[in-house]
């Protein structure tokens, strides 16, 4: 009986450590320049983005083992996107609350003034420390 329990626990432990590459969440309605830059990073498994006339907001999903380098990944992607969009203010974050807010904007399909206001709210939200 003890051997069976040990084998079952070992099986569950190994199945919990499965490969994450199956879960790709790249959106299909994003700018091709943003998608191209983010797909080059192996540590990013997906993203959500919103752009307007002055801003580019990108919320990235970082793979589990790469979370230790979250700030480095964010800075690297930010620099690359700033080169692509020099006239816009770029914000790249791995924060879930920002990702949720971007998803709300995408679901509501906001336009012009409401979109700009929502982006400013998200930028202020990203500056909050929890």
């Amino acid at each position: 009986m003890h051997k069976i329990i040990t084998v079952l626990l070992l099986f569950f432990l190994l199945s919990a450590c499965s490969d994450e590459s199956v879960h790709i969440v790249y959106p299909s309605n994003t700018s091709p320049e943003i998608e191209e830059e983010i797909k080059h990073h192996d540590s990013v498994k997906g993203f959500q983005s919103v752009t307007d006339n002055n801003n580019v907001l990108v919320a990235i999903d970082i793979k589990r083992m790469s979370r230790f380098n979250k700030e480095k990944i964010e800075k690297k992607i930010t620099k690359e996107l700033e080169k692509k969009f020099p006239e816009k203010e770029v914000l790249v974050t791995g924060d879930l609350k920002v990702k949720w807010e971007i998803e709300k904007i995408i679901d509501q399909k906001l336009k012009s003034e409401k979109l700009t206001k929502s982006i400013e709210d998200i930028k202020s939200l990203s500056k909050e420390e929890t």
Side-chain angles (χ1 to χ4, degrees):
M1 183 68 179
H2 182 35
K3 288 182 181 181
I4 294 173
I5 292 174
T6 305
V7 170
L8 286 175
L9 286 175
L10 184 63
F11 175 74
F12 287 125
L13 178 68
L14 292 176
S15 65
C17 299
S18 65
D19 187 21
E20 293 181 16
S21 63
V22 178
H23 306 290
I24 304 294
V25 289
Y26 290 108
S28 60
N29 60 352
T30 187
S31 170
E33 294 93 4
I34 295 172
E35 187 171 356
E36 177 184 321
E37 285 300 323
I38 293 185
K39 280 191 174 182
H40 285 95
H41 295 277
D42 294 334
S43 56
V44 177
K45 65 179 178 180
F47 71 97
Q48 293 289 335
S49 66
V50 174
T51 59
D52 70 348
N53 295 334
N54 303 322
N55 300 294
V56 175
L57 294 179
V58 180
I60 55 176
D61 289 330
I62 300 173
K63 291 183 179 177
R64 184 168 291 138
M65 293 306 289
S66 300
R67 290 199 180 270
F68 299 111
N69 298 322
K70 178 180 169 182
E71 292 180 15
K72 288 182 184 179
I73 295 167
E74 289 173 357
K75 286 180 184 178
K76 188 173 182 181
I77 293 173
T78 300
K79 286 181 183 178
E80 292 170 359
L81 289 177
E82 284 174 344
K83 289 178 186 175
K84 291 254 185 196
F85 303 102
E87 70 283 351
K88 295 185 180 190
E89 188 176 332
V90 176
L91 174 67
V92 177
T93 183
D95 193 1
L96 276 177
K97 62 183 175 182
V98 174
K99 181 181 178 243
W100 293 331
E101 292 298 322
I102 289 175
E103 287 174 351
K104 283 183 189 176
I105 289 175
I106 292 170
D107 290 342
Q108 294 173 358
K109 298 177 183 174
L110 297 179
K111 303 288 183 199
S112 65
E113 293 174 9
K114 290 182 179 180
L115 176 63
T116 304
K117 184 179 180 322
S118 295
I119 288 175
E120 292 301 321
D121 291 342
I122 291 173
K123 285 170 51 178
S124 66
L125 183 66
S126 71
K127 293 177 184 175
E128 286 181 8
E129 293 193 18
T130 55

